[in-house]
Coordinates of all heavy atoms in Angstrom, one line a residue:
M1155 N 15.0 -17.7 6.1 CA 13.7 -17.6 5.5 C 13.0 -16.3 5.9 O 12.4 -15.6 5.0 CB 12.9 -18.9 5.8 CG 11.5 -18.8 5.2 SD 11.6 -19.3 3.5 CE 9.9 -19.5 3.2
T1156 N 13.0 -16.0 7.2 CA 12.3 -14.8 7.6 C 13.0 -13.5 7.1 O 12.3 -12.6 6.8 CB 12.2 -14.7 9.1 OG1 13.5 -14.8 9.7 CG2 11.4 -15.9 9.7
R1157 N 14.3 -13.6 6.9 CA 14.9 -12.4 6.3 C 14.5 -12.1 4.9 O 14.3 -11.0 4.5 CB 16.5 -12.5 6.4 CG 17.1 -12.3 7.7 CD 18.5 -12.3 7.6 NE 19.0 -11.1 8.4 CZ 20.2 -10.8 8.5 NH1 21.2 -11.5 7.8 NH2 20.6 -9.7 9.2
T1158 N 14.3 -13.2 4.2 CA 13.9 -13.1 2.8 C 12.5 -12.5 2.7 O 12.2 -11.7 1.9 CB 13.9 -14.5 2.1 OG1 15.3 -15.0 2.2 CG2 13.5 -14.4 0.7
L1159 N 11.6 -13.0 3.6 CA 10.2 -12.6 3.6 C 10.2 -11.1 4.1 O 9.4 -10.3 3.5 CB 9.4 -13.4 4.6 CG 9.1 -14.8 4.1 CD1 8.3 -15.6 5.2 CD2 8.3 -14.8 2.8
Q1160 N 11.0 -10.7 5.0 CA 11.0 -9.3 5.4 C 11.5 -8.4 4.3 O 11.0 -7.3 4.1 CB 11.9 -9.1 6.7 CG 11.3 -9.7 7.9 CD 12.2 -9.6 9.1 OE1 13.4 -9.5 8.9 NE2 11.7 -9.8 10.3
A1161 N 12.5 -8.9 3.6 CA 13.0 -8.1 2.4 C 12.0 -8.0 1.4 O 11.8 -6.9 0.8 CB 14.3 -8.7 1.9
L1162 N 11.3 -9.1 1.1 CA 10.2 -9.0 0.1 C 9.0 -8.1 0.5 O 8.5 -7.3 -0.3 CB 9.7 -10.4 -0.2 CG 10.6 -11.3 -1.1 CD1 10.0 -12.7 -1.1 CD2 10.7 -10.7 -2.5
N1163 N 8.7 -8.2 1.8 CA 7.7 -7.3 2.4 C 8.0 -5.8 2.2 O 7.2 -5.0 1.8 CB 7.4 -7.7 3.8 CG 6.2 -7.0 4.4 OD1 5.3 -6.7 3.7 ND2 6.3 -6.7 5.7
M1164 N 9.3 -5.5 2.5 CA 9.7 -4.1 2.4 C 9.7 -3.7 0.9 O 9.3 -2.6 0.6 CB 11.1 -4.0 3.0 CG 11.6 -2.6 3.0 SD 10.7 -1.4 4.1 CE 11.3 -2.0 5.6
T1165 N 10.2 -4.6 0.1 CA 10.2 -4.2 -1.4 C 8.8 -3.9 -1.9 O 8.6 -2.9 -2.6 CB 10.9 -5.4 -2.2 OG1 12.2 -5.6 -1.7 CG2 10.9 -5.1 -3.6
F1166 N 7.9 -4.8 -1.6 CA 6.5 -4.6 -2.1 C 5.9 -3.4 -1.5 O 5.1 -2.6 -2.2 CB 5.7 -5.8 -2.0 CG 6.0 -6.9 -3.0 CD1 6.5 -8.1 -2.6 CD2 5.7 -6.7 -4.3 CE1 6.8 -9.1 -3.5 CE2 5.9 -7.7 -5.3 CZ 6.5 -8.9 -4.9
A1167 N 6.2 -3.1 -0.2 CA 5.6 -1.9 0.4 C 6.1 -0.7 -0.3 O 5.4 0.3 -0.5 CB 6.0 -1.9 1.9
L1168 N 7.4 -0.7 -0.6 CA 8.0 0.5 -1.3 C 7.4 0.7 -2.7 O 7.2 1.8 -3.1 CB 9.5 0.4 -1.3 CG 10.2 0.5 0.0 CD1 11.7 0.3 -0.1 CD2 9.9 1.9 0.6
I1169 N 7.2 -0.5 -3.4 CA 6.5 -0.4 -4.7 C 5.1 0.2 -4.6 O 4.7 1.1 -5.4 CB 6.5 -1.8 -5.3 CG1 7.9 -2.2 -5.7 CG2 5.6 -1.8 -6.6 CD1 8.0 -3.7 -6.2
F1170 N 4.3 -0.2 -3.6 CA 3.0 0.3 -3.4 C 3.1 1.8 -3.1 O 2.2 2.6 -3.6 CB 2.3 -0.4 -2.2 CG 1.8 -1.8 -2.5 CD1 1.8 -2.7 -1.5 CD2 1.5 -2.2 -3.8 CE1 1.4 -4.0 -1.8 CE2 1.1 -3.5 -4.1 CZ 1.0 -4.4 -3.1
I1171 N 4.0 2.2 -2.3 CA 4.1 3.7 -1.9 C 4.5 4.5 -3.1 O 3.9 5.6 -3.4 CB 5.1 3.8 -0.8 CG1 4.6 3.2 0.5 CG2 5.5 5.3 -0.6 CD1 5.6 3.1 1.6
V1172 N 5.5 4.0 -3.9 CA 5.9 4.7 -5.1 C 4.7 4.8 -6.1 O 4.4 5.9 -6.7 CB 7.1 4.1 -5.8 CG1 7.4 4.7 -7.1 CG2 8.3 4.3 -4.9
E1173 N 4.0 3.7 -6.3 CA 2.8 3.7 -7.2 C 1.8 4.7 -6.7 O 1.2 5.5 -7.5 CB 2.2 2.3 -7.2 CG 0.9 2.2 -8.1 CD 0.2 1.0 -7.9 OE1 0.3 0.3 -6.9 OE2 -0.6 0.7 -8.8
F1174 N 1.5 4.8 -5.4 CA 0.5 5.7 -4.9 C 1.0 7.2 -5.2 O 0.2 8.0 -5.7 CB 0.4 5.6 -3.4 CG -0.3 6.7 -2.7 CD1 -1.6 6.9 -2.8 CD2 0.4 7.6 -1.9 CE1 -2.3 8.0 -2.2 CE2 -0.2 8.6 -1.2 CZ -1.5 8.8 -1.4
I1175 N 2.2 7.5 -4.9 CA 2.7 8.8 -5.2 C 2.7 9.2 -6.6 O 2.2 10.3 -7.0 CB 4.2 9.0 -4.6 CG1 4.2 8.9 -3.1 CG2 4.8 10.3 -5.1 CD1 5.6 8.7 -2.5
M1176 N 3.0 8.3 -7.5 CA 3.0 8.6 -8.9 C 1.5 8.8 -9.4 O 1.3 9.7 -10.2 CB 3.6 7.4 -9.7 CG 5.1 7.4 -9.6 SD 5.9 5.9 -10.3 CE 5.4 6.1 -12.0
K1177 N 0.6 8.0 -8.9 CA -0.8 8.1 -9.4 C -1.4 9.5 -8.8 O -2.2 10.1 -9.5 CB -1.6 7.0 -8.9 CG -1.5 5.7 -9.7 CD -2.5 4.7 -9.2 CE -2.6 3.5 -10.1 NZ -3.6 2.5 -9.7
V1178 N -1.0 9.8 -7.6 CA -1.5 11.1 -7.1 C -1.0 12.3 -7.9 O -1.7 13.2 -8.2 CB -1.2 11.3 -5.6 CG1 -1.4 12.7 -5.1 CG2 -2.0 10.3 -4.8
F1179 N 0.3 12.2 -8.3 CA 0.8 13.3 -9.1 C 0.2 13.3 -10.5 O 0.0 14.4 -11.1 CB 2.4 13.2 -9.2 CG 3.1 13.8 -8.1 CD1 4.0 13.0 -7.3 CD2 2.9 15.1 -7.7 CE1 4.6 13.6 -6.2 CE2 3.6 15.7 -6.6 CZ 4.4 14.9 -5.9
A1180 N -0.1 12.1 -11.0 CA -0.6 12.1 -12.4 C -2.1 12.5 -12.5 O -2.5 13.2 -13.4 CB -0.5 10.6 -12.9
H1181 N -2.9 12.0 -11.5 CA -4.3 12.3 -11.5 C -4.8 13.4 -10.6 O -5.9 13.9 -10.8 CB -5.1 11.0 -11.1 CG -4.8 9.8 -12.0 ND1 -5.2 9.8 -13.3 CD2 -4.1 8.7 -11.8 CE1 -4.8 8.6 -13.9 NE2 -4.1 8.0 -13.0
G1182 N -4.0 13.7 -9.6 CA -4.5 14.7 -8.7 C -5.2 13.9 -7.5 O -5.7 12.8 -7.7
L1183 N -5.2 14.5 -6.4 CA -5.7 13.9 -5.2 C -7.2 13.6 -5.2 O -7.7 12.5 -4.9 CB -5.3 14.7 -3.9 CG -5.4 14.0 -2.6 CD1 -4.5 12.8 -2.5 CD2 -5.1 15.0 -1.5
H1184 N -8.0 14.6 -5.7 CA -9.4 14.4 -5.8 C -9.8 13.3 -6.7 O -10.6 12.5 -6.4 CB -10.1 15.8 -6.1 CG -11.6 15.7 -6.2 ND1 -12.4 15.5 -5.1 CD2 -12.4 15.7 -7.3 CE1 -13.6 15.5 -5.5 NE2 -13.7 15.6 -6.8
K1185 N -9.2 13.4 -7.9 CA -9.6 12.4 -8.9 C -9.1 11.0 -8.5 O -9.7 10.0 -8.9 CB -9.0 12.8 -10.3 CG -9.6 11.9 -11.4 CD -9.2 12.5 -12.8 CE -9.8 11.7 -13.9 NZ -9.5 12.2 -15.2
Y1186 N -8.0 10.9 -7.8 CA -7.4 9.6 -7.4 C -8.4 8.9 -6.5 O -8.6 7.7 -6.7 CB -6.1 9.8 -6.7 CG -5.5 8.6 -6.1 CD1 -4.7 7.7 -6.9 CD2 -5.7 8.2 -4.8 CE1 -4.2 6.6 -6.4 CE2 -5.2 7.1 -4.3 CZ -4.4 6.2 -5.1 OH -3.9 5.1 -4.6
F1187 N -9.0 9.6 -5.6 CA -9.9 8.9 -4.7 C -11.3 8.7 -5.2 O -12.2 8.2 -4.5 CB -10.0 9.7 -3.3 CG -8.8 9.5 -2.5 CD1 -7.8 10.5 -2.3 CD2 -8.5 8.3 -1.9 CE1 -6.7 10.3 -1.6 CE2 -7.4 8.1 -1.1 CZ -6.5 9.1 -1.0
Q1188 N -11.6 9.1 -6.4 CA -12.9 8.8 -7.0 C -13.0 7.4 -7.5 O -14.1 6.9 -7.8 CB -13.2 9.8 -8.2 CG -13.4 11.2 -7.7 CD -13.7 12.1 -8.9 OE1 -13.4 11.9 -10.0 NE2 -14.3 13.3 -8.5
E1189 N -11.9 6.7 -7.7 CA -12.0 5.3 -8.2 C -11.8 4.4 -7.0 O -10.8 4.5 -6.2 CB -10.8 5.1 -9.2 CG -11.0 3.8 -10.0 CD -10.0 3.7 -11.1 OE1 -9.7 4.7 -11.8 OE2 -9.6 2.6 -11.4
M1190 N -12.6 3.3 -7.0 CA -12.6 2.4 -5.8 C -11.3 1.6 -5.7 O -10.8 1.4 -4.6 CB -13.8 1.5 -5.9 CG -15.2 2.2 -5.7 SD -15.3 3.1 -4.1 CE -15.2 1.8 -2.9
W1191 N -10.7 1.2 -6.9 CA -9.5 0.4 -6.8 C -8.4 1.3 -6.2 O -7.5 0.7 -5.5 CB -9.1 0.0 -8.2 CG -9.9 -1.2 -8.6 CD1 -10.8 -1.2 -9.7 CD2 -9.9 -2.5 -8.1 NE1 -11.4 -2.4 -9.8 CE2 -10.9 -3.3 -8.8 CE3 -9.3 -3.1 -7.1 CZ2 -11.1 -4.6 -8.6 CZ3 -9.5 -4.5 -6.8 CH2 -10.4 -5.2 -7.5
N1192 N -8.4 2.6 -6.5 CA -7.4 3.4 -5.9 C -7.5 3.6 -4.4 O -6.6 3.7 -3.6 CB -7.4 4.8 -6.5 CG -6.8 4.8 -7.9 OD1 -6.1 3.9 -8.3 ND2 -7.2 5.8 -8.7
I1193 N -8.8 3.5 -3.9 CA -9.0 3.6 -2.5 C -8.5 2.3 -1.8 O -7.9 2.4 -0.7 CB -10.5 3.8 -2.2 CG1 -10.9 5.2 -2.7 CG2 -10.8 3.6 -0.7 CD1 -12.4 5.4 -2.6
L1194 N -8.7 1.2 -2.5 CA -8.1 -0.1 -1.9 C -6.6 0.0 -1.9 O -6.0 -0.5 -1.0 CB -8.6 -1.3 -2.8 CG -8.2 -2.6 -2.3 CD1 -8.7 -3.0 -0.9 CD2 -8.6 -3.7 -3.3
D1195 N -6.0 0.5 -3.0 CA -4.6 0.7 -3.1 C -4.1 1.5 -2.0 O -3.0 1.3 -1.3 CB -4.1 1.2 -4.4 CG -4.3 0.3 -5.6 OD1 -4.4 -1.0 -5.3 OD2 -4.2 0.7 -6.7
F1196 N -4.8 2.6 -1.7 CA -4.4 3.5 -0.6 C -4.5 2.8 0.8 O -3.6 3.0 1.6 CB -5.3 4.8 -0.6 CG -5.0 5.7 0.5 CD1 -3.8 6.5 0.5 CD2 -5.9 5.9 1.6 CE1 -3.5 7.4 1.5 CE2 -5.6 6.8 2.6 CZ -4.4 7.5 2.6
A1197 N -5.5 2.0 1.0 CA -5.6 1.2 2.2 C -4.4 0.3 2.3 O -3.8 0.1 3.4 CB -6.9 0.5 2.3
A1198 N -4.0 -0.3 1.2 CA -2.8 -1.2 1.2 C -1.5 -0.4 1.5 O -0.7 -0.9 2.2 CB -2.7 -1.9 -0.2
V1199 N -1.4 0.8 1.0 CA -0.3 1.6 1.3 C -0.2 2.0 2.8 O 0.8 1.8 3.5 CB -0.3 2.9 0.5 CG1 0.7 3.9 1.0 CG2 0.0 2.6 -1.0
I1200 N -1.4 2.3 3.4 CA -1.4 2.7 4.8 C -1.1 1.4 5.6 O -0.3 1.5 6.6 CB -2.8 3.2 5.2 CG1 -3.1 4.6 4.5 CG2 -3.0 3.4 6.7 CD1 -2.1 5.6 4.8
A1201 N -1.6 0.3 5.2 CA -1.3 -1.0 6.0 C 0.2 -1.3 5.9 O 0.8 -1.7 6.9 CB -2.1 -2.1 5.4
S1202 N 0.8 -1.1 4.7 CA 2.2 -1.3 4.6 C 3.0 -0.4 5.5 O 4.0 -0.8 6.1 CB 2.6 -1.1 3.1 OG 2.0 -2.0 2.3
V1203 N 2.7 0.9 5.5 CA 3.4 1.8 6.3 C 3.3 1.5 7.8 O 4.2 1.5 8.5 CB 2.9 3.3 6.0 CG1 3.5 4.3 7.0 CG2 3.3 3.7 4.6
M1204 N 2.0 1.2 8.2 CA 1.8 0.8 9.6 C 2.6 -0.5 10.0 O 3.1 -0.6 11.1 CB 0.3 0.7 9.9 CG -0.4 2.0 9.8 SD -2.2 1.8 10.0 CE -2.3 1.5 11.7
D1205 N 2.7 -1.4 9.0 CA 3.4 -2.6 9.3 C 4.9 -2.3 9.4 O 5.6 -2.9 10.3 CB 3.2 -3.6 8.1 CG 3.8 -5.0 8.4 OD1 3.7 -5.4 9.6 OD2 4.4 -5.6 7.5
M1206 N 5.4 -1.4 8.6 CA 6.8 -1.0 8.7 C 7.1 -0.3 10.0 O 8.2 -0.4 10.5 CB 7.2 -0.1 7.5 CG 7.4 -0.8 6.2 SD 8.2 0.2 4.9 CE 6.8 1.3 4.5
L1207 N 6.1 0.4 10.5 CA 6.3 1.1 11.8 C 6.0 0.3 13.0 O 6.0 0.7 14.1 CB 5.4 2.4 11.8 CG 5.8 3.4 10.8 CD1 4.7 4.5 10.8 CD2 7.2 4.0 11.0
N1208 N 5.6 -1.0 12.7 CA 5.3 -2.0 13.8 C 4.1 -1.6 14.6 O 4.1 -1.7 15.9 CB 6.5 -2.3 14.7 CG 7.6 -3.0 13.9 OD1 7.3 -3.8 13.1 ND2 8.8 -2.8 14.3
V1209 N 3.1 -1.0 14.0 CA 1.8 -0.6 14.7 C 1.0 -1.9 14.9 O 1.0 -2.8 14.1 CB 1.0 0.4 13.9 CG1 -0.3 0.7 14.5 CG2 1.9 1.6 13.7
S1210 N 0.4 -2.0 16.1 CA -0.4 -3.2 16.4 C -1.6 -3.3 15.4 O -2.0 -2.4 14.8 CB -0.9 -3.2 17.8 OG -1.7 -2.1 18.0
G1211 N -2.2 -4.5 15.4 CA -3.3 -4.8 14.5 C -2.8 -5.4 13.2 O -3.4 -5.2 12.2
G1212 N -1.8 -6.2 13.3 CA -1.1 -6.7 12.1 C -2.0 -7.6 11.3 O -1.9 -7.6 10.1
S1213 N -2.9 -8.4 11.9 CA -3.7 -9.4 11.1 C -4.7 -8.6 10.2 O -4.9 -9.0 9.0 CB -4.4 -10.4 11.9 OG -5.2 -9.7 12.8
A1214 N -5.3 -7.6 10.7 CA -6.2 -6.8 9.9 C -5.5 -6.1 8.8 O -6.0 -6.0 7.7 CB -6.9 -5.8 10.8
L1215 N -4.3 -5.6 9.1 CA -3.5 -4.9 8.1 C -3.1 -5.8 7.0 O -3.1 -5.5 5.8 CB -2.3 -4.2 8.7 CG -2.5 -3.2 9.8 CD1 -1.2 -2.7 10.4 CD2 -3.3 -2.0 9.2
R1216 N -2.7 -7.0 7.3 CA -2.3 -8.0 6.3 C -3.5 -8.4 5.4 O -3.3 -8.7 4.2 CB -1.7 -9.2 7.0 CG -0.3 -9.0 7.5 CD 0.4 -10.2 8.0 NE 1.7 -9.9 8.5 CZ 1.9 -9.7 9.8 NH1 1.0 -9.8 10.6 NH2 3.1 -9.4 10.2
L1217 N -4.7 -8.4 6.0 CA -5.9 -8.8 5.2 C -6.1 -7.7 4.2 O -6.4 -8.0 3.0 CB -7.1 -8.9 6.1 CG -8.4 -9.2 5.4 CD1 -8.4 -10.5 4.7 CD2 -9.6 -9.2 6.4
I1218 N -5.9 -6.4 4.5 CA -6.1 -5.3 3.5 C -5.1 -5.5 2.4 O -5.4 -5.3 1.3 CB -6.0 -4.0 4.2 CG1 -7.2 -3.7 5.2 CG2 -5.9 -2.9 3.2 CD1 -7.0 -2.5 6.0
R1219 N -3.9 -5.8 2.8 CA -2.8 -5.9 1.8 C -3.1 -7.2 0.9 O -2.7 -7.2 -0.3 CB -1.4 -6.0 2.4 CG -1.1 -4.6 3.0 CD 0.2 -4.6 3.7 NE 1.3 -5.2 3.0 CZ 2.4 -5.6 3.5 NH1 2.5 -5.5 4.8 NH2 3.3 -6.1 2.8
L1220 N -3.6 -8.2 1.5 CA -4.0 -9.4 0.7 C -5.0 -9.1 -0.3 O -5.0 -9.7 -1.4 CB -4.4 -10.5 1.7 CG -4.8 -11.8 1.0 CD1 -3.6 -12.5 0.4 CD2 -5.4 -12.8 2.1
L1221 N -6.0 -8.2 0.0 CA -7.0 -7.9 -1.0 C -6.4 -7.2 -2.2 O -7.0 -7.3 -3.3 CB -8.0 -6.9 -0.3 CG -8.9 -7.6 0.7 CD1 -9.8 -6.5 1.4 CD2 -9.8 -8.7 0.1
R1222 N -5.3 -6.5 -2.1 CA -4.6 -5.9 -3.2 C -4.3 -6.8 -4.2 O -4.3 -6.8 -5.3 CB -3.4 -5.1 -2.6 CG -2.5 -4.5 -3.6 CD -3.2 -3.4 -4.4 NE -2.3 -2.5 -5.1 CZ -1.8 -2.7 -6.3 NH1 -2.0 -3.8 -6.9 NH2 -1.0 -1.8 -6.8

C-alpha cells in the first residue's frame, strides 16, 4: 500500500512540475505570477519538490498540496 501511495505521490508531483514549466513557457514568468491560482500551483510545486527531497515540515507542505 505505501509503495502505491509513494508512486502516486511521485506521479502527481511530476505532473505539477511539468504543468508549471509549460505554463511559464506559455505565459512568461511575470504574467504567470499575476494570477493567484498560479501562485497556489507554484506553492504546490515547491511543496512537492521539497517532499521529494525529504525536507522537514511535511505536514505544512501536504496542506499546501491539499489546497491544490
Side-chain angles (χ1 to χ4, degrees):
M1155 179 79 169
T1156 58
R1157 283 188 133 181
T1158 304
L1159 291 176
Q1160 288 175 344
L1162 286 171
N1163 188 30
M1164 183 67 72
T1165 302
F1166 283 113
L1168 292 175
I1169 290 171
F1170 288 150
I1171 292 168
V1172 169
E1173 177 191 21
F1174 165 72
I1175 292 170
M1176 290 173 58
K1177 280 186 171 183
V1178 167
F1179 277 124
H1181 300 290
L1183 197 59
H1184 179 70
K1185 191 171 182 175
Y1186 176 83
F1187 284 110
Q1188 288 180 342
E1189 191 171 326
M1190 292 305 292
W1191 284 113
N1192 288 340
I1193 294 171
L1194 181 62
D1195 287 347
F1196 179 70
V1199 167
I1200 295 299
S1202 297
V1203 169
M1204 291 176 73
D1205 188 41
M1206 284 191 285
L1207 297 174
N1208 292 327
V1209 176
S1210 63
S1213 61
L1215 298 176
R1216 285 190 183 94
L1217 178 63
I1218 291 172
R1219 289 177 49 199
L1220 180 64
L1221 290 174
R1222 169 68 161 85

